[in-house]
Amino acid sequence: MNEDFADLDADRDGAYDGDQASGEEYQDGPVGPQPVLAVVGRPNVGKSTLVNRMLGEERMITGPEAGITRDSITLDWQWQGRPVQLVDTAGLRKRAKIDDKLEKLSAADTRRSIDYAEVVVLLLDATRGLEAQDLRIADQVVEEGRALIIALNKWDLAENASSLFNGVKAALEEGLSQLRGVPVFAISAKTGKGVDDMIKVAFDLRESWSRRIPTGELNRWFEAAVDANPPPAPGGRRIKLRYITQVKTRPATFVVFGTRAGQLADSYRRYLLNSMRRDLKLGPVPMRLTFRGQKNPYATER
């Protein structure tokens, strides 16, 4: 886990609870009737301006100074008749640069908002591009299991716009390798450019993030995926994968059962997750996958 967020205690590995073997659906995260959309980012990237644009009124105080927003503020809102909880947050700087006690409390409040959210919009300043702190925040959002959108704000002021956009996407593919294809939008909180398109995708991601895959469909996919790329045989000992089950949603969490399944490398986990996103149309949302071996009851203990 990134040291800048080391004070957060969260489930990172999709830990499996034996009581879930019955196939009952468990949910990890918000389960309210309306989406929870949080806007996060470094100080002075335009978070409150974006929230005001979405609300259609000057509800949040804005200005050129960084740090005007100190506390996360949750607002009830409707987009095209659909209810949303919208969360404006304080800016997140690198921990080493935070020396003010109030700012530390604000940063902790923002991190709690990430944990509370369902979809997180990470807002960047297009005049500054993608910085290391942006990748740290993005990594934290994904580790918390929340759906992520990247929005390049102040697009109306950006120079070499096409090159900038492609550069940001390439940097995300490299720096956020655990989740490929995160949606990236060029927006202007000042003019409203791109904002509606971004919100529509937020609803789509939330639907994928909440999806429960029928057991039959899931295992038909699993059988085909394993046949197409059988697991390796470490030390010449065959690994037999038997079935897969979904034990949680929000984010989707799966457990694969089999003989010596616990010996599978992370590369095979990535293969299954990427195939699942592609074949089951889950898209770029965080998912968790663990393997559980089944002990041979006839094996002689030594």
Side-chain angles (χ1 to χ4, degrees):
M1 178 171 28
N2 189 285
E3 63 179 4
D4 291 320
F5 302 100
D7 55 342
L8 285 168
D9 181 17
D11 176 13
R12 305 298 186 204
D13 59 1
Y16 170 78
D17 185 330
D19 292 338
Q20 296 166 3
S22 63
E24 179 180 353
E25 177 181 355
Y26 285 72
Q27 292 179 324
D28 175 21
V31 293
Q34 56 192 31
V36 181
L37 177 64
V39 181
V40 306
R42 289 179 285 107
N44 210 28
V45 295
K47 296 182 295 296
S48 294
T49 302
L50 175 60
V51 170
N52 283 339
R53 167 60 61 178
M54 294 163 78
L55 293 171
E57 58 181 290
E58 297 296 316
R59 184 86 65 89
M60 313 304 300
I61 300 174
T62 62
E65 305 87 0
I68 292 178
T69 301
R70 288 289 191 174
D71 299 308
S72 296
I73 301 171
T74 302
L75 303 159
D76 289 325
W77 174 56
Q78 284 199 351
W79 179 75
Q80 297 184 357
R82 303 168 74 175
V84 184
Q85 278 194 331
L86 190 58
V87 185
D88 186 21
T89 65
L92 282 172
R93 295 197 299 161
K94 190 174 181 180
R95 176 178 292 178
K97 295 184 178 180
I98 299 177
D99 52 18
D100 177 77
K101 184 175 181 180
L102 182 58
E103 188 176 358
K104 289 180 180 179
L105 292 173
S106 297
D109 190 39
T110 295
R111 294 175 189 126
R112 282 192 295 271
S113 295
I114 291 173
D115 186 48
Y116 171 70
E118 299 179 341
V119 181
V120 175
V121 174
L122 173 55
L123 200 62
L124 313 184
D125 184 337
T127 65
R128 296 172 61 181
L130 183 72
E131 299 185 3
Q133 177 65 358
D134 297 317
L135 284 174
R136 294 187 186 99
I137 298 171
D139 184 65
Q140 165 63 13
V141 172
V142 174
E143 286 189 351
E144 289 294 337
R146 305 303 174 235
L148 174 66
I149 290 174
I150 307 293
L152 284 160
N153 190 30
K154 307 180 185 179
W155 195 249
D156 47 317
L157 304 177
E159 298 180 0
N160 301 318
S162 178
S163 176
L164 170 66
F165 189 83
N166 292 331
V168 167
K169 292 199 72 170
L172 284 169
E173 289 293 306
E174 181 178 351
L176 204 63
S177 58
Q178 71 270 40
L179 184 62
R180 303 280 186 179
V182 171
V184 181
F185 288 89
I187 71 166
S188 170
K190 183 177 179 181
T191 68
K193 169 186 166 55
V195 173
D196 277 346
D197 291 338
M198 179 190 73
I199 298 169
K200 180 183 182 302
V201 168
F203 273 92
D204 293 342
L205 283 179
R206 196 244 191 183
E207 184 176 345
S208 294
W209 182 74
S210 306
R211 184 177 168 195
R212 180 81 162 97
I213 302 173
T215 301
E217 178 184 356
L218 181 61
N219 276 279
R220 284 191 296 273
W221 162 81
F222 181 66
E223 183 178 353
V226 172
D227 284 346
N229 183 14
R237 301 183 68 191
R238 184 185 176 199
I239 293 177
K240 174 68 174 178
L241 301 183
R242 301 187 181 280
Y243 67 95
I244 184 172
T245 184
Q246 182 173 0
V247 295
K248 290 183 183 179
T249 63
R250 304 183 176 193
T253 302
F254 304 90
V255 179
V256 170
F257 293 88
T259 304
R260 290 186 293 278
Q263 299 177 21
L264 281 168
D266 283 343
S267 58
Y268 201 79
R269 176 189 284 108
R270 289 193 296 271
Y271 159 70
L272 290 176
L273 286 172
N274 290 334
S275 298
M276 197 182 307
R277 288 192 177 99
R278 181 190 66 241
D279 299 339
L280 300 178
K281 306 293 190 294
L282 287 170
V285 294
M287 297 190 298
R288 293 168 177 164
L289 176 65
T290 57
F291 299 102
R292 290 183 67 82
Q294 294 177 322
K295 186 176 180 180
N296 183 353
Y298 302 104
T300 302
E301 294 187 3
R302 298 181 182 274

